[in-house]
Amino acid sequence: MKINVDDFTKFLSHENIHAQRSELLKFQVFNKLPSVAVYPESYEQVSEIVKYCNENGYSVIPFGSCTKVNFGNIPTTYNVALSLEKLNKILGHNEADFIITAQAGAKFKDLQDFLISKNQFVALDPPQIDKGATIGGIIATNDYGPSRFRYGTFREQIIELVAVGTDGKIFKGGAKVVKNVAGYDIHKLFVGSMGTLGIILEASIKLYPVQEESLTFITGISDAGMLRSYIKKILDADLVLSALEIMNPELSSDIFRLSGIRPINFPHTLVLRIENVRKAVIDQMELVKNMLNSGGLEGAVIENDNLLWSYLRDFPYAGDKNCIACKVSVMINEIPGVLEYIQEFSENLDIKIYSSAKAGNGIVQLLIEGENKDLEIAVNLLRSYLTTMMGSLVYQHVPHDFGKFNTWGDLGASSHLMQTLKQNFDPNNILNPGRLI
Amino acid sequence: MNANYDVIKKRLEAILEPESFMHKEEEIIAFECDALTYYRVKPVFVVLPSTNRQVSEIIKVCDEYDMPFVPRGAGTGLSGGALPVDDGVLISLAKMNQILEIDIPNRLVVVQPGVINRSVSEAVDGFGYYYAPDPSSQIVCTIGGNVAENSGGVHCLKYGVTTNHILGLEMVLPNGEIVELGGKNQEYPGYDLLSIVVGSEGLLGIVTKVILKISKKPQLVKTLFASFDKIENAGSSVSGIISNGIIPAGMEIMDNTCIKAVQISVKAGYPEDAESILLIELDGPTAEVEAQLPIVENVLRENSAIQIKIAKDETERELFWKGRKSAFAAMGRVSPDYYVQDGVIPRNKLAEVLTKTKQLSEEYGFTIANVFHAGDGNLHPLILFNSENEGEFEKVERLAGEILRICVEAGGSITGEHGVGFDKKGYIPLMFNEDDLDTMQLISCTFDTKGLCNPGKLFPTPRSCAEHGMTKERALELENKVEGELF
Ligand SMILES: Cc1cc2nc3c(=O)[nH]c(=O)nc-3n(C[C@H](O)[C@H](O)[C@H](O)COP(=O)(O)OP(=O)(O)OC[C@H]3O[C@@H](n4cnc5c(N)ncnc54)[C@H](O)[C@@H]3O)c2cc1C
C-alpha cells in the first residue's frame, strides 16, 4: 500500500516524521520495512495518528526502544512505525503510597534507578533494560525475569493503564490505588497483548521497599532424580525465595565466567536467591545450607550477587547468534522431565542449547543456537513433546530468515474468543496485524 | 413476563431434576436478594444445575428465547451482584460444590464454583497448604462468587486477591458454549482472558470449574495490635512498617466506635478508650518473622503507640482476629441497621479522608464507624441507622455516595473488594468516562453479544453491541422494572 506521508503533517511537526530508508531501518520487522516512522509527543497526537491510520487502513506497529522486534509472528502488513520514544516522562511518584506513574516510552531502567534512590523499586527484573527496554514494551510483551518466582509478572504490578484505541479514543482501566475492583481489568488484559489491542500511553505501577540484604546459594546437581527431589525439598521448605533457577552447563559456565564465579561442572546448576531484612536472610541461608548439605550437596553462598542476577535476568539474549530464543511453560512437576528431555535431544542434533528453568513457575527459557534447518527440527521436536503434557512453547526471537513459523503455537480452546476480542478492539486489523492473532 | 413462559418452563424442566427447578413464589423468595438486602427482585425461575452440561443447556434455552439470567453463589455479595432480574432465570451454582482434584506437587486444586472458600483450605490443610484469599465471609461464600467479585481478604496486602490465585477456569458463555481459559500451567500464549473474567461480576458467563493456586502455610504467625490516641499515628505506622522493607500479611485499623462495638459483642481484648487500634499480622518462616517483629515494634513506638500487645498464643491470636472479623456484625449490637461502604484511597490520604467523613457524619446526623484494610487503603465505613425511620435509608444511600466521592477525589476507587454490582453502578462515572466505558463494552460484547448475562449491573447505562443484541429500549425497560420494585 502506498501511503501518503505528507498527511501526517496534519498532526505532527516535520522533525517527528521520518521517511528516509536509513531512518526506518531500526524499525525493520523480519523482512518488512514501514513507509514512515512517526514520533508523537502527546497523547492527542497518538490518538490522531491511530485514528487516521484506522480510517485509511494503514497498519501500525508501536515501538518503545526496538529491543524485541523479532518477537511475534511476521506482520501481515506494515505501513507505519509508531515510536513512543518521546512519551517518556515519569508523571508522578506517590512515595508514601508506593505507586509510580510513567509514560509508555519511559525506560524501565531510568524508572528503577530513580526509585532505588528513594529506597523503592518495581518488583520486576525484565531482560534488556540496559538496552533501553521501555515500560510500554515490557507490558506489551509480558517480559519478566527471575524474580517472577516471588513477585509475579507485570500483571501483578500494574494497577492502571491509559491507552489509545483504534478509533482514537483515549481510555483507561484500573485506578491509582493498590486495591480496586471497579470495572473490567483492562490494564491486566493489555499485559502480553503485543500491541494488538491499543497503543499503551501510560501505566501506574505498585512499588515495593528495597530489601536490606540479598544472598545467593549455588550448587551443582548430577541427575534428574536428584534434581526432582531437591526442587521439591526447596519448594516445600520454610523459605521466602526471590528466585530459583536451574541452569544447564552451557549456560552456567557462561554466566559464572561473566560474573566472576568459579564454574562448577554439573548437569544442573541450582541457583536460589533470598532477599529480606538482614537477619532474616542470614538465618534462612543457614537453613538452606543445612538442608542441602545434609543431602550430600556442596554449595557456595554468593554475597555480592547483583552481577550474577543481571546476567540471568538478560538470558536469553540473542545478540548476533543465529538462534531461537523461546520459553516453555508446563506444570511445576514436569520441569525435571523437560530438562532431561532437552539434554538428551540436543545431543543428537547439531545445535547448542542454553537453558534456565524457573523451577517454581514451570517455565524453561531456552536459547538454541544452530543452522536454521536444525533449529526447525529442534523446536518441532520440542513442541510435539510438549503437547503430551499440555505444555506450550513460545518463540521470543527467531532468525530474520527463518521462513514461515508460528510464534505462539496453539492458542488453545479459547482462541475464537481471542479472535473476537481482537476484532472488537481492532475491526480493521491495523494494529500489529498477524503478530499475535 | 416472557411470552414463551410455558415453553421455557417445559424446556428447563426437561433439563433439570424436579427438586432443582423452582418457579413458585414461596420457593423462589429465598433467592430474591443477596446480602445487600435493601434491594429485592423475584426472578421467574430459579434453577440449581449440578453439571456444566446442565448449565450449558439452560443457557441455550435462555439464549433461544432472549431470557436474561443471573448467576448466584452463596448470595453473600454486598453490592447486589446476584440480584435477580424480574423476567429472568436465577442460576444458583450451590449444587456444583465438589472439590474435583487436589494436586499438591503442582500446588493446585480444581473445584466446582459452588465450593465454599474455606473448604478449599480445609481440604489441603493436612498437606500443609491453604488457599490464600480469605474474605471475612469465607465460611459461606463460594469460589464462583469470589472469582466474579475478585474478592480480597484480610491477608491480601502480602498475598494478593483472588485474581492472583486463579490459574484457569471453565465457563459457559452466554450462548451456551463451554470454554476453558488458562489451565494448570502458570502461563499460556494469547490474550490473558482469565484476568478479564476474574472480577467481571458475573457479566461474561457462568464459571463452572476453577483451578486454584494453593500456598504453603507459614511456619510462624505473630499477631499484635497497637493502640493510639490519634488515628494519624496508626496510619503513619502503616507506612513506616512498609518503608522498613516489611510487608506484613495484614494490617487493619479500627476506630473507637468500632472498638467499642466489638468489645460489647466479642470481647477481643482491645482497649476501649483507644481512639484507634492497628492490628498487624506477620507471617512466614520463623527466621523472617523473628527478624521483622522487633523492627515493627520499633516503628509503632516511634509513632507514639500507647500500648503494644502481642498475642501470646493461638487462642489470643484468634481472639484478636475475631474482633476484627466480627466488626460488621458487631454493629448490630449498637444500631438497628448498618450500611457497609467499600472505598479505596491512597494510603497517605487516610487522615484527610477520615476528617471529611467525620464532617459528613455530623452533617447527615448518622454515626459512622470505620474499619479499614489499612495496608492497602481499603476503607469500610459503616453507617449506623434505623431503617424503620421513614426516609432514612435513602439518606444513608446519599451519604454513602458522598463517601465514595471523597474517595475518588482523594485519588481512589469506589470499590476495593465488594464490587460495583447493582448498588454502585451509578457511581462508575466518577472513575470512568464514556470512552473508558465504551472500551469495557468491547469486552462485554466479546462474550455476550445479546446482553443476557446478569444485565443491569456494573455499568451505569445500558449499552448494546454493534450487531445483534439487546436494544437500548429493551435494556432501559429492564432497568425501570428493577427500580420500580425498589422504591
Ligand atoms: C459478613 C460479610 C463479610 C464479607 N467480607 C468480605 C471480605 O472480607 N472481602 C471480600 O472481598 N468480600 C467480602 N464480602 C462480600 C462477599 O462475601 C464476596 O463478594 C463473595 O465473593 C461473594 O460470594 P458468593 O458466593 O456469596 O457470591 P454471590 O453473592 O452469590 O454472587 C456474587 C457475584 O458473583 C456472581 N457469581 C456467583 N457465582 C458465579 C459463577 N459461578 N459464575 C459467574 N458469576 C458468578 C453473581 O452473579 C454476583 O454478581 C463479605 C460479605 C459479608 C456478608
Side-chain angles (χ1 to χ4, degrees):
Chain A
M1 184 183 291
K2 184 92 192 77
I3 90 160
N4 191 350
V5 171
D6 288 343
D7 275 359
F8 288 96
T9 55
K10 281 186 266 175
F11 332 114
L12 296 167
S13 56
H14 281 284
E15 80 266 17
N16 288 332
I17 305 169
H18 293 187
Q20 299 290 331
R21 195 181 148 78
S22 60
E23 296 167 320
L24 297 174
L25 281 176
K26 68 172 177 175
F27 298 106
Q28 179 171 351
V29 175
F30 297 99
N31 54 353
K32 295 200 157 94
L33 269 186
S35 310
V36 61
V38 291
Y39 293 77
E41 293 188 51
S42 70
Y43 295 177
E44 289 65 34
Q45 286 178 352
V46 179
S47 160
E48 284 171 325
I49 293 165
V50 175
K51 190 161 177 247
Y52 167 78
C53 289
N54 188 40
E55 281 161 3
N56 291 282
Y58 299 161
S59 49
V60 181
I61 300 189
F63 287 90
S65 293
C66 306
T67 58
K68 289 174 270 262
V69 286
N70 281 22
F71 182 17
N73 288 330
I74 301 173
T76 46
T77 60
Y78 179 17
N79 308 120
V80 179
L82 196 162
S83 169
L84 278 306
E85 203 179 289
K86 295 195 173 176
L87 288 166
N88 59 8
K89 289 184 200 56
I90 294 176
L91 298 173
H93 176 213
N94 184 342
E95 197 171 341
D97 201 26
F98 283 77
I99 290 171
I100 194 154
T101 303
Q103 291 181 326
K107 294 192 168 51
F108 185 89
K109 183 154 191 307
D110 293 347
L111 200 69
Q112 197 73 303
D113 288 348
F114 165 76
L115 287 168
I116 286 174
S117 74
K118 312 257 174 191
N119 219 29
Q120 303 188 349
F121 74 112
V122 179
L124 281 167
D125 52 355
Q128 297 174 31
I129 52 176
D130 294 327
K131 299 199 171 51
T134 59
I135 299 297
I138 296 167
I139 294 171
T141 52
N142 186 22
D143 260 344
Y144 49 78
S147 75
R148 171 178 181 159
F149 181 69
R150 178 166 178 183
Y151 296 106
T153 63
F154 227 123
R155 180 187 194 276
E156 270 68 48
Q157 315 306 337
I158 188 165
I159 53 174
E160 187 186 73
L161 173 117
V162 179
V164 171
T166 50
D167 52 5
K169 277 181 185 145
I170 298 173
F171 59 85
K172 75 155 189 165
K176 288 187 188 69
V177 278
V178 295
K179 192 175 180 195
N180 164 38
V181 296
Y184 297 138
D185 283 350
I186 289 189
H187 49 298
K188 293 200 172 92
L189 175 67
F190 268 66
V191 175
S193 65
M194 296 294 293
T196 61
L197 299 176
I199 308 289
I200 301 171
L201 294 174
E202 170 185 319
S204 295
I205 308 165
K206 67 178 173 188
L207 304 173
Y208 284 82
V210 167
Q211 302 280 292
E212 190 180 20
E213 180 69 276
S214 167
L215 288 177
T216 294
F217 185 83
I218 298 177
T219 188
I221 295 177
S222 51
D223 64 70
M226 270 176 76
L227 181 64
R228 192 176 293 275
S229 87
Y230 279 107
I231 291 177
K232 185 171 159 18
K233 249 192 201 165
I234 291 166
L235 292 178
D236 280 349
D238 287 299
L239 300 167
V240 178
L241 304 181
S242 295
L244 172 62
E245 301 272 334
I246 318 284
M247 292 188 273
N248 75 350
E250 285 75 11
L251 182 64
S252 68
S253 60
D254 263 20
I255 284 194
F256 284 179
R257 183 173 41 78
L258 288 168
S259 29
I261 297 169
R262 195 163 51 85
I264 46 175
N265 200 5
F266 280 88
H268 307 285
T269 300
L270 184 150
V271 197
L272 68 80
R273 185 180 208 183
I274 297 177
E275 293 167 291
N276 215 310
V277 296
R278 186 162 295 121
K279 185 172 181 317
V281 176
I282 292 167
D283 292 355
Q284 289 184 80
M285 219 18 114
E286 266 322 293
L287 292 175
V288 172
K289 279 196 273 184
N290 291 338
M291 183 173 72
L292 297 182
N293 289 348
S294 75
L297 291 189
E298 288 289 329
V301 175
I302 307 289
E303 279 179 17
N304 293 314
D305 57 0
N306 270 336
L307 194 59
L308 167 66
W309 287 104
S310 71
Y311 284 114
L312 264 163
R313 179 195 74 203
D314 282 338
F315 175 75
Y317 175 58
D320 46 18
K321 292 187 181 117
N322 198 71
C323 66
I324 285 188
C326 56
K327 56 180 173 180
V328 163
S329 169
V330 292
M331 284 196 282
I332 297 169
N333 74 343
E334 312 273 18
I335 286 291
V338 171
L339 294 180
E340 208 176 6
Y341 179 81
I342 291 171
Q343 194 188 353
E344 275 167 23
F345 96 86
S346 66
E347 282 163 13
N348 304 323
L349 287 170
D350 204 7
I351 51 171
K352 185 168 181 186
I353 295 193
Y354 303 81
S355 74
S356 192
K358 296 189 169 26
N361 300 102
I363 288 164
V364 189
Q365 285 187 286
L366 297 166
L367 190 135
I368 313 176
E369 206 182 338
E371 305 271 318
N372 283 358
K373 64 173 189 345
D374 295 315
L375 294 179
E376 195 175 344
I377 299 173
V379 286
N380 286 342
L381 269 174
L382 253 176
R383 271 206 171 136
S384 59
Y385 165 75
L386 290 168
T387 47
T388 61
M389 58 187 79
M390 318 281 277
S392 64
L393 185 151
V394 168
Y395 304 158
Q396 291 173 298
H397 171 93
V398 297
H400 264 295
D401 53 352
F402 194 57
K404 264 184 91 129
F405 62 90
N406 176 353
T407 298
W408 311 101
D410 183 2
L411 288 182
S414 55
S415 61
H416 62 297
L417 275 180
M418 296 181 193
Q419 304 268 8
T420 313
L421 185 79
K422 168 71 174 167
Q423 164 78 28
N424 287 347
F425 271 80
D426 181 13
N428 299 328
N429 198 21
I430 61 147
L431 290 177
N432 247 328
R435 288 210 107 183
L436 172 61
I437 293 279
Chain B
M1 181 124 335
N2 197 301
N4 298 299
Y5 176 87
D6 291 325
V7 196
I8 298 171
K9 180 162 176 281
K10 243 201 208 112
R11 293 276 300 273
L12 293 177
E13 278 172 334
I15 297 167
L16 294 145
E17 303 79 29
E19 70 278 11
S20 300
F21 175 81
M22 299 169 193
H23 63 101
K24 298 201 193 90
E25 168 117 19
E26 66 272 23
E27 296 171 325
I28 60 178
I29 194 137
F31 297 90
E32 66 177 356
C33 65
D34 59 10
L36 187 75
T37 52
Y38 309 105
Y39 301 127
R40 290 168 195 269
V41 174
K42 283 191 204 66
V44 184
F45 305 117
V46 174
V47 293
L48 291 98
S50 7
T51 65
N52 59 354
R53 292 258 145 251
Q54 284 183 340
V55 174
S56 161
E57 284 172 37
I58 293 162
I59 292 187
K60 280 182 185 156
V61 174
C62 293
D63 178 50
E64 195 176 326
Y65 296 99
D66 289 343
M67 191 168 200
F69 54 92
V70 175
R72 176 186 170 104
T76 68
L78 287 165
S79 55
L83 183 75
V85 175
D86 84 331
D87 60 351
V89 183
L90 184 89
I91 306 180
S92 162
L93 284 307
K95 284 194 176 171
M96 292 184 67
N97 59 1
Q98 300 301 305
I99 294 182
L100 302 173
E101 192 183 332
I102 294 175
D103 181 349
I104 298 294
N106 288 309
R107 291 171 164 66
L108 59 90
V109 173
V110 185
V111 301
Q112 289 187 321
V115 164
I116 304 296
N117 173 299
R118 228 298 258 274
S119 346
V120 180
S121 291
E122 283 164 3
V124 295
D125 182 74
F127 301 100
Y129 286 81
Y130 75 114
Y131 174 62
D134 59 344
S136 305
S137 50
Q138 69 178 157
I139 52 169
V140 265
C141 68
T142 66
I143 295 296
N146 294 173
V147 167
E149 302 289 9
N150 189 12
S151 299
V154 288
H155 291 100
C156 56
L157 170 61
K158 182 168 175 184
Y159 295 106
V161 291
T162 302
T163 189
N164 307 113
H165 300 271
I166 307 290
L167 286 167
L169 53 80
E170 174 194 88
M171 68 192 292
V172 180
L173 297 177
N175 64 2
E177 187 196 341
I178 302 174
V179 294
E180 283 176 19
L181 310 180
K184 291 178 177 176
N185 304 343
Q186 292 193 5
E187 195 169 312
Y188 288 91
Y191 296 127
D192 185 1
L193 297 176
L194 198 57
S195 70
I196 284 295
V197 172
V198 178
S200 61
E201 304 201 14
L203 265 65
L204 303 180
I206 300 208
V207 174
T208 46
K209 191 161 86 181
V210 189
I211 308 176
L212 305 169
K213 246 189 240 177
I214 49 171
S215 316
K216 219 179 136 347
K217 283 200 288 185
Q219 189 178 18
L220 182 66
V221 183
K222 283 273 180 206
T223 307
L224 63 149
F225 72 73
S227 60
F228 297 88
D229 60 7
K230 279 207 205 84
I231 206 157
E232 288 89 331
N233 293 344
S236 48
S237 300
V238 169
S239 358
I241 291 167
I242 300 179
S243 302
N244 269 278
I246 296 171
I247 311 279
M251 289 198 272
E252 300 284 319
I253 291 178
M254 274 177 266
D255 72 1
N256 183 262
T257 316
C258 229
I259 297 170
K260 282 202 176 113
V262 166
Q263 281 300 97
I264 297 171
S265 77
V266 297
K267 300 207 172 37
Y270 303 155
E272 270 171 58
D273 53 349
E275 205 243 339
S276 61
I277 62 163
L278 167 62
L279 184 65
I280 302 170
E281 184 152 289
L282 295 172
D283 74 0
T286 305
E288 180 184 281
V289 176
E290 283 179 350
Q292 292 179 343
L293 187 60
I295 302 174
V296 169
E297 285 181 274
N298 226 351
V299 172
L300 294 171
R301 274 191 292 268
E302 276 167 15
N303 284 286
S304 319
I306 298 167
Q307 182 196 359
I308 300 175
K309 198 166 173 196
I310 304 175
K312 59 179 184 301
D313 52 24
E314 186 54 26
T315 321
E316 194 167 46
R317 182 181 99 81
E318 273 171 19
L319 192 65
F320 287 3
W321 274 116
K322 194 170 168 200
R324 165 60 187 87
K325 290 200 177 178
S326 58
F328 292 4
M331 295 303 138
R333 296 293 189 104
V334 292
S335 167
D337 294 288
Y338 63 95
Y339 180 98
V340 184
Q341 187 51 291
D342 168 41
V344 189
I345 55 168
R347 287 166 287 193
N348 53 326
K349 295 285 177 70
L350 176 62
E352 177 190 317
V353 169
L354 287 185
T355 310
K356 285 189 182 157
T357 34
K358 196 147 182 254
Q359 280 163 6
L360 279 177
S361 141
E362 281 156 15
E363 214 174 284
Y364 277 77
F366 295 112
T367 303
I368 299 178
N370 281 295
V371 329
F372 181 46
H373 299 301
D376 37 40
N378 191 182
L379 290 171
H380 288 314
L382 303 161
I383 307 170
L384 310 186
F385 73 107
N386 185 350
S387 57
E388 309 247 292
N389 297 340
E390 180 78 30
E392 230 175 82
F393 178 62
E394 287 72 15
K395 258 174 94 181
V396 166
E397 277 203 304
R398 277 202 302 281
L399 167 56
E402 289 295 320
I403 296 177
L404 293 184
R405 209 175 292 277
I406 291 172
C407 290
V408 175
E409 275 165 13
S413 164
I414 60 168
T415 171
E417 55 182 17
H418 296 165
V420 176
F422 181 75
D423 190 34
K424 290 190 186 174
K425 59 179 179 170
Y427 295 97
I428 275 278
L430 290 180
M431 287 179 70
F432 298 109
N433 65 24
E434 279 298 307
D435 289 349
D436 304 334
L437 296 176
D438 283 348
T439 308
M440 290 188 196
Q441 177 68 2
L442 299 175
I443 292 170
S444 295
C445 293
T446 300
F447 290 81
D448 183 15
T449 41
K450 289 185 177 176
L452 291 178
C453 191
N454 212 359
K457 314 283 170 68
L458 185 50
F459 297 109
T461 41
R463 283 152 195 272
S464 59
C465 299
E467 290 144 271
H468 27 122
M470 182 144 68
T471 61
K472 209 154 192 164
E473 293 74 71
R474 163 81 186 109
L476 271 172
E477 188 192 331
L478 264 178
E479 186 86 348
N480 292 336
K481 276 195 181 149
V482 186
E483 306 277 2
E485 284 272 333
L486 296 173
F487 306 112

